[in-house]
């Protein structure tokens, strides 16, 4: 902003704006809220925008409020014709008009879209870069069957990032792998509201539900014989499928459940399909194995 010919007050306002908005915007997304004391809608919006910006501070978002009565020159430079007017500023330039976002969900949605496109350095991004290899190590150790070591990894990670969805989910699934179902339940019961719908958390909940339904069975030969003699003995097949799941034999479990669905999809109010979908969630909906089983399920349901 040129300052030639400005009053001393306006020059100071420009310097303040440069200090508070322009300079921070080189590394942060600065939300500029133009308001006034007499503006009713401004007062209604204030707690919403203040809360969201505080929540998004770890993502690199900063809020600056500009009183238009005290900063007429700044407001004119942004062509503010009505208030509240809200702009997102990055690298000294307005990148989005957020004025129409009047609710918390609307503002968060717009910020998420903007942040996804900007190369911001933030506390959250730095933490994510630090945590990612450690989470991957924990997941690898767990996949290799060393649940005790995985528990050590995730127990340390939960101290570093108690609200990180992947860490919480990993810790819960590790407890499940160790048969510590009550401990897993306690971890999931303490999940912060903002990550409760995370896919990893949902996966851990499904795994816990399956673990509670099924107990490891040393000898399934009796159930296998019953099913071989009568494939329509769905009670035996369902118990056999749960036994396979408890023993980690997901292919055999899926075969039994799909066989039940093919013969009588309505048995026990669709219990076989519900259990199969729960198994999909526990494995992970993006897993290639789940995709293959979904194709098998579709072939049964739609042919």
């Amino acid at each position: 902003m040129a300052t030639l010919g400005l009053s001393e007050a306006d020059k100071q306002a420009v310097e303040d704006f440069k200090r508070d908005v322009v300079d921070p915007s080189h590394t942060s997304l600065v939300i500029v809220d133009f308001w006034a004391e007499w503006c009713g809608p401004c007062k209604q919006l204030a707690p919403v925008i203040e809360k969201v910006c505080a929540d998004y501070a770890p993502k690199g978002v900063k809020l600056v409020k500009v009183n238009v009565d005290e900063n007429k020159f700044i407001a004119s430079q942004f062509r503010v014709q009505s208030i509240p007017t809200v702009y997102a500023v990055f690298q000294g330039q307005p990148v989005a008009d957020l004025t129409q976002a009047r609710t918390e969900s609307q503002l968060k949605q717009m910020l998420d879209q903007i942040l996804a496109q900007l190369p911001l350095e933030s506390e959250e991004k730095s933490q994510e870069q630090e945590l990612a290899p450690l989470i991957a190590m924990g997941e690898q150790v767990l996949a290799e069957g060393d649940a005790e070591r995985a528990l050590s990894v995730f127990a340390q990670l939960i101290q570093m990032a108690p609200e990180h969805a992947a860490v919480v989910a990993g810790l819960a699934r590790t407890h499940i792998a160790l048969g510590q179902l009550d401990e897993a339940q306690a971890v999931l019961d303490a999940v912060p509201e903002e990550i409760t719908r995370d896919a990893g958390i949902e996966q851990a909940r499904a795994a816990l539900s399956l673990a509670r339904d099924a107990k490891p069975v040393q000898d399934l030969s009796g159930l296998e014989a019953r099913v071989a003699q009568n494939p329509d003995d769905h009670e035996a097949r369902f118990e056999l499928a749960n036994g396979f799941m408890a023993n980690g034999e997901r292919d055999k479990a899926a075969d039994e459940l799909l066989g039940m669905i093919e013969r009588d999809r309505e048995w026990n109010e669709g219990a076989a399909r519900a259990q199969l979908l729960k198994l999909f969630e526990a494995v992970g909906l993006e897993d290639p194995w789940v995709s293959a089983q979904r194709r098998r399920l579709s072939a049964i349901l739609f042919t």
Side-chain angles (χ1 to χ4, degrees):
M1 295 178 186
T3 59
L4 188 63
L6 294 182
S7 67
E8 288 303 317
D10 286 343
K11 287 180 181 179
Q12 185 60 53
V14 169
E15 287 300 313
D16 291 344
F17 189 81
K18 181 178 182 300
R19 180 197 64 216
D20 296 337
V21 176
V22 177
D23 291 346
S25 75
H26 290 297
T27 55
S28 302
L29 181 68
V30 181
I31 307 304
V32 184
D33 176 21
F34 291 95
W35 70 289
E37 288 286 354
W38 47 264
C39 172
C42 297
K43 293 180 179 179
Q44 292 177 340
L45 179 62
V48 175
I49 196 168
E50 289 168 7
K51 179 181 184 302
V52 171
C53 287
D55 291 344
Y56 275 62
K59 299 177 184 288
V61 174
K62 175 185 178 182
L63 173 63
V64 175
K65 300 174 73 68
V66 177
N67 187 317
V68 295
D69 289 336
E70 298 172 357
N71 296 274
K72 291 184 171 63
F73 177 72
I74 300 296
S76 69
Q77 293 297 296
F78 277 83
R79 298 181 181 177
V80 174
Q81 297 180 338
S82 63
I83 52 174
T85 291
V86 183
Y87 287 116
V89 177
F90 182 64
Q91 295 185 343
Q93 300 296 323
V95 294
D97 184 347
L98 307 180
T99 304
Q100 298 306 312
R102 296 302 175 91
T103 67
E104 186 173 333
S105 61
Q106 289 173 343
L107 187 54
K108 285 184 174 181
Q109 183 179 13
M110 294 184 75
L111 284 177
D112 286 339
Q113 292 172 350
I114 297 167
L115 291 171
Q117 302 174 53
L118 299 179
L120 286 181
E121 292 298 326
S122 66
E123 175 188 333
E124 187 175 273
K125 185 175 290 187
S126 297
Q127 184 189 58
E128 192 65 39
Q129 291 172 346
E130 179 183 0
L131 290 175
L134 300 175
I135 294 171
M137 180 177 70
E139 290 290 354
Q140 181 178 350
V141 171
L142 182 59
E144 291 170 352
D146 192 347
E148 289 287 355
R149 186 176 166 213
L151 180 61
S152 176
V153 173
F154 282 112
Q156 293 180 57
L157 288 175
I158 203 72
Q159 298 299 318
M160 297 169 58
E163 298 185 356
H164 192 290
V167 172
V168 174
L171 179 60
R173 288 187 291 102
T174 302
H175 280 306
I176 295 167
L178 289 167
Q180 300 169 350
L181 305 189
D182 290 342
E183 289 86 345
Q185 186 68 65
V187 170
L188 293 173
D189 286 345
V191 167
E193 184 178 353
E194 56 267 25
I195 63 169
T196 190
R197 310 288 295 220
D198 179 84
I201 300 296
E202 295 289 355
Q203 180 183 353
R205 285 201 184 96
L208 178 58
S209 180
L210 283 179
R212 290 198 184 282
D213 288 345
K215 302 265 190 278
V217 181
Q218 295 298 322
D219 185 6
L220 293 171
S221 58
L223 284 171
E224 289 179 295
R226 281 177 59 185
V227 171
Q229 184 176 8
N230 179 14
D232 288 321
D233 184 348
H234 295 312
E235 185 175 341
R237 291 194 82 165
F238 193 74
E239 189 176 346
L240 179 60
N242 282 340
F244 283 139
M245 280 189 284
N247 292 348
E249 299 179 88
R250 66 185 186 186
D251 288 327
K252 290 183 178 180
D255 288 344
E256 294 303 328
L257 293 171
L258 287 165
M260 292 175 66
I261 295 168
E262 187 170 19
R263 286 177 173 273
D264 184 0
R265 67 186 65 174
E266 301 303 326
W267 176 80
N268 196 17
E269 299 182 346
R273 183 179 180 185
Q275 194 74 339
L276 184 63
L277 295 178
K278 194 184 293 184
L279 176 59
F280 290 169
E281 283 188 272
V283 173
L285 297 181
E286 303 301 320
D287 191 283
W289 181 85
V290 171
S291 298
Q293 304 310 314
R294 279 187 179 278
R295 288 192 291 271
R296 294 177 66 193
L297 176 61
S298 296
I300 291 170
L301 294 178
F302 299 108
T303 56

